[in-house]
Amino acid sequence: MSRKKINVGILFGGKSAEHEVSLQSAKNVYDAIDREQYHPILIGIDKTGKWLLNEGSRFLLNDDDPGRIRLNQSGDPVTLIPESRGAISNLRDLKDSGTVDVVFPILHGPFGEDGTVQGLLRLADIPFVGSGVLGSAVGMDKDVMKRLLRDAGIPIGKFLVLRSHEAVLPFDEAAAALGVPLFVKPANMGSSVGVSKIHNEAEYRLGIREAFLYDSKIILEEYIRGRELECSVLGNEEAIASVPGEIISSHEFYSYDAKYLDEKGAVLKIPAEVPARIAEKIRELALKTFRALCCTGLSRVDFFLREAEETAEGGGVIVNEINTMPGFTRISMYPKLWEASGIGYTELISRLINLAIAGFEQEKGLRTSYSGEG
Ligand SMILES: Nc1ncnc2c1ncn2[C@@H]1O[C@H](COP(=O)(O)OP(=O)(O)O)[C@@H](O)[C@H]1O
Ligand SMILES: [Mg+2]
């Protein structure tokens, strides 16, 4: 007799700028998931935020063309409700449309990677892959993230925070504090959306206006001249780090265009060609970052290797940011780094699902209210 298969809800798409990347990731996970153990259930979130229960056979349109890939909108509108224990409710008649035992939210950016969906899954009382509400939220907010990293003694670049209701910091003062060029970016975003490299006052004004389109809080950062390295982390309390990889971008920085639009915008070098002691430092800092930001399951930690200090003892490695739900297509950095470290794509998916269930079981053992003394 075979064991009952675990129903894995693959939640994908979403309202963010990374909707299409998420569609690709979902397709790759759906194709690769171990069907001996798991039964995948596809829930696509369209660009307006509606959840649709999709059929595996035709959940994407133009799925062979990354430029034209679309979510098939013909699925039934569904939702998960508090305490439903994974029962999927059809929004038309509130009838039961099946049950998920665990959810893999392959969603990037705001409304997916930022703790919002994680809160909903928590209320629905089901295990899910990746960080919880807190880890997801602090990982998304570059200001809070940097303050926690600084507190943990993790090396980061100089930065300042501006808020839309306050007077704009004059360019001279920003330049005096951070140097020129400098970077401006929304505090909560991703995919390099709203990120600019600033060389002068005119660009400063435009860059600030652009960043404030996406968030009422923005970050100014010193420019770090150097290489961009990334490291994958997997696990809960006893997390492990992969070999580091390098992003070599042909654009002025690793912009949205370099990431998604220009096929030749960037190449991944796996493993990164760095001295062993730098690779070790990166792995150590990746784990430290993961813990400092209260993350679980998986994360990709992104670094700069500052040019001038590359040869200094253990120095020159600076954490740029964490991504709590990194790109997850077969050719994305996160799975590729694991592949190079000995964990294949299908096994990686199984491990993540197991970690989600183990973390959930552990939390279930905790009391949720005061039950008297003694
Ligand atoms: N302080 C900086 N110095 C040099 N390059 C930077 C800096 N901040 C960002 N960049 C460039 O911009 C890209 C996007 O910035 P990042 O902070 O990673 O935002 P996102 O969350 O949108 O990926 C980086 O991959 C890097 O190429
Ligand atoms: Mg980034």
Side-chain angles (χ1 to χ4, degrees), residues 78-112:
V78 292
T79 190
L80 284 169
I81 51 179
E83 301 302 330
S84 65
R85 305 298 306 273
I88 305 167
S89 308
N90 189 313
L91 278 180
R92 289 208 187 95
D93 49 17
L94 290 182
K95 280 215 183 88
D96 214 336
S97 296
T99 304
V100 288
D101 300 309
V102 52
V103 169
F104 192 163
I106 316 179
L107 297 161
H108 313 295
F111 307 109

Side-chain angles (χ1 to χ4, degrees), residues 142 191-192 230 259 300 302 320-321 323:
K142 291 180 164 70
S191 292
S192 303
E230 304 189 342
K259 284 179 182 174
R300 198 191 69 226
D302 298 350
N320 174 34
E321 63 157 345
N323 292 281

